[in-house]
């Protein structure tokens, strides 16, 4: 059994490397002057995405709720080499703000080459205690605003042969405890944008969609949540951000970061009781 498992893992590893080697190579020059909108860019991975685009000389619009923080991020983007760095504060739980943000970016940049949907509303890391209102609110922030912004930006992305990048999570493929509302929003994203990927391909659309599956990343909000509950390894936000950008720029359908999230996604369903046992023992629970 053990050798059997090892053989399977080796097979998956070889297949994974084969796919990596045949991936198109990233040309940093292609991002010079690119017109980019990044959401959730006041902190965490979104902030790092903005800085990388800035270093590549892009024209950037960033958004989140906190205007004073956005202003500082925009200033740093300019100092790093962004051709333009504009910000607009918005609340993605609102019904009108998602459209308003895309309109702002289209007006200011004269179109869009990349739309990076990355923001998430804060959600407790705890057992589900029946807060339906919070879940409904989180769906608005983490899901409905995404599809609204994507639809609004699509005509411009068609014109520019642009890319839509959706930041999702391993929790959009595999549920774990303490994150029921959050994992629901990520499953919804994977379902919706997976379907849209098919439809755009069938329509021979100019637009590429990339769905990014991330493991644990060392942002402040994530580290605060898991402290004392699990010690699974966290990967650097700046590296995650760079991988997200290159995935969009090379028009790949999927990103798995770190790499083993790919293997977990594939292997998790082979022996579900083993998977469940491992997941439940990864988190400590003190009732
Ligand atoms: N960190 C991880 O371990 C991890 C793992 C897997 C996937 N991901 C994914 O990576 C992405 C970024 O995660 P992160 O850890 O960088 O998140 P984060 O540090 O918590 O940042 C969230 C961003 O969203 C903004 N935001 C929050 N509520 C908002 C609202 N109502 N309207 C508009 N903007 C709002 C925040 O800014 P304001 O507060 O200023 O609004 C902030 O810029 C998310 O899609 C997340 O699901 C993260
Ligand atoms: C794709 O881009 C070309 C311009 O390069 C444009 O003529 C065409 O209408 C676009 N396709 C769609 C579906 O918009």
């Amino acid at each position: 059994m053990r050798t059997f498992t090892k053989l399977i893992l080796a097979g998956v590893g070889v297949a994974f490397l084969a796919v990596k080697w045949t991936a198109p190579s990233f040309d940093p020059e292609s991002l010079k002057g690119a017109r980019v909108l990044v959401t959730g860019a006041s902190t965490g991975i979104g902030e790092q995405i903005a800085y990388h685009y800035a270093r590549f000389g892009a024209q950037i619009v960033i958004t989140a709720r906190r205007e004073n923080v956005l202003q500082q991020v925009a200033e740093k983007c300019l100092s790093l080499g962004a051709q333009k760095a504009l910000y607009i504060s918005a609340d993605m739980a609102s019904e009108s703000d998602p459209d308003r943000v895309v309109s702002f970016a289209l007006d200011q940049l004269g179109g869009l080459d990349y739309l990076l949907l990355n923001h998430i509303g804060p959600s407790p890391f705890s057992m589900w205690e029946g807060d339906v209102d919070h879940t409904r609110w989180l769906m608005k922030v983490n899901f409905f605003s995404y599809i609204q912004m994507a639809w609004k930006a699509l005509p411009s992305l068609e014109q520019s042969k642009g890319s839509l990048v959706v930041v999702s999570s391993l929790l959009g493929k595999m549920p774990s405890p303490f994150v029921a509302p959050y994992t629901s929003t990520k499953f919804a994203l994977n379902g919706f944008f997976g379907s849209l990927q098919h439809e755009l391909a069938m329509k021979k659309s100019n637009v590429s969609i990339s769905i990014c599956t991330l493991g644990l990343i060392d942002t402040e909000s994530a580290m605060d949540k898991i402290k004392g509950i699990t010690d699974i390894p966290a990967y650097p936000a700046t590296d995650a951000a760079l991988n997200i950008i290159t995935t969009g720029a090379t028009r790949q359908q999927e990103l798995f970061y770190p790499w083993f999230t790919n293997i977990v996604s594939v292997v998790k369903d082979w022996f579900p009781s083993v998977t469940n046992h491992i997941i439940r023992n990864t988190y400590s629970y003190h009732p």
Side-chain angles (χ1 to χ4, degrees):
M1 177 63 193
R2 242 183 233 159
T3 2
F4 175 68
T5 312
K6 274 182 197 157
L7 272 175
I8 288 181
L9 286 178
V12 172
V14 168
F16 172 79
L17 288 173
V19 169
K20 275 276 144 197
W21 278 325
T22 53
S25 66
F26 166 61
D27 173 18
E29 281 298 308
S30 70
L31 295 179
K32 191 161 278 173
R35 299 161 300 175
V36 182
L37 170 56
V38 185
T39 72
S42 61
T43 185
I45 299 167
E47 179 185 2
Q48 298 305 317
I49 291 174
Y51 296 152
H52 283 299
Y53 273 124
R55 290 185 194 100
F56 292 127
Q59 309 182 60
I60 314 166
V61 171
I62 56 173
T63 186
R65 289 168 304 178
R66 290 168 299 162
E67 189 158 10
N68 56 332
V69 187
L70 287 173
Q71 186 187 347
Q72 290 166 15
V73 174
E75 277 166 17
K76 186 163 172 192
C77 284
L78 287 175
S79 74
L80 289 171
Q83 285 187 10
K84 269 187 191 170
L86 307 163
Y87 60 90
I88 175 169
S89 110
D91 182 352
M92 291 301 168
S94 124
E95 272 174 31
S96 50
D97 276 9
D99 279 354
R100 184 170 64 85
V101 168
V102 175
S103 297
F104 174 84
L106 294 175
D107 289 349
Q108 296 291 323
L109 305 180
L112 272 179
D113 299 300
Y114 293 96
L115 172 58
L116 273 93
L117 298 173
N118 161 80
H119 63 276
I120 46 167
S123 189
F125 192 74
S126 61
M127 285 217 177
W128 164 247
E129 297 288 356
D131 196 344
V132 177
D133 284 340
H134 167 72
T135 310
R136 189 178 288 120
W137 173 84
L138 199 67
M139 268 291 178
K140 286 186 194 165
V141 177
N142 291 12
F143 175 67
F144 286 111
S145 68
Y146 276 52
I147 70 177
Q148 207 178 333
M149 295 182 84
W151 188 248
K152 181 89 179 164
L154 214 49
S156 174
L157 293 173
E158 282 289 359
Q159 285 307 310
S160 65
K161 297 188 164 66
S163 300
L164 172 63
V165 181
V166 175
V167 180
S168 190
S169 168
L170 189 54
L171 295 174
K173 292 185 177 281
M174 181 181 79
S176 75
F178 309 136
V179 290
Y182 172 80
T183 196
S184 313
T185 67
K186 292 301 188 186
F187 267 79
L189 284 177
N190 281 35
F192 186 94
F193 286 100
S195 184
L196 196 60
Q197 255 174 352
H198 288 307
E199 294 177 4
L200 294 189
M202 290 163 82
K203 286 200 266 192
K204 302 207 183 337
S205 160
N206 292 332
V207 182
S208 72
I209 297 184
S210 305
I211 300 176
C212 303
T213 296
L214 304 185
L216 184 62
I217 308 299
D218 67 356
T219 62
E220 215 179 299
S221 64
M223 292 300 96
D224 279 354
K225 276 179 192 156
I226 59 142
K227 205 183 308 164
I229 302 178
T230 181
D231 50 12
I232 55 179
Y235 285 73
T238 173
D239 199 28
L242 186 58
N243 277 273
I244 290 166
I245 289 175
T246 59
T247 298
T250 52
R251 306 176 76 83
Q252 293 171 84
Q253 300 230 335
E254 286 198 291
L255 165 69
F256 289 94
Y257 179 90
W259 62 275
F260 60 77
T261 57
N262 195 349
I263 293 181
V264 174
S265 304
V266 172
V267 173
K268 70 182 170 57
D269 293 328
W270 292 356
F271 308 103
S273 55
V274 176
T275 307
N276 289 337
H277 179 80
I278 294 172
I279 290 175
R280 285 166 205 169
N281 283 286
T282 305
Y283 301 90
S284 55
Y285 174 54
H286 314 285

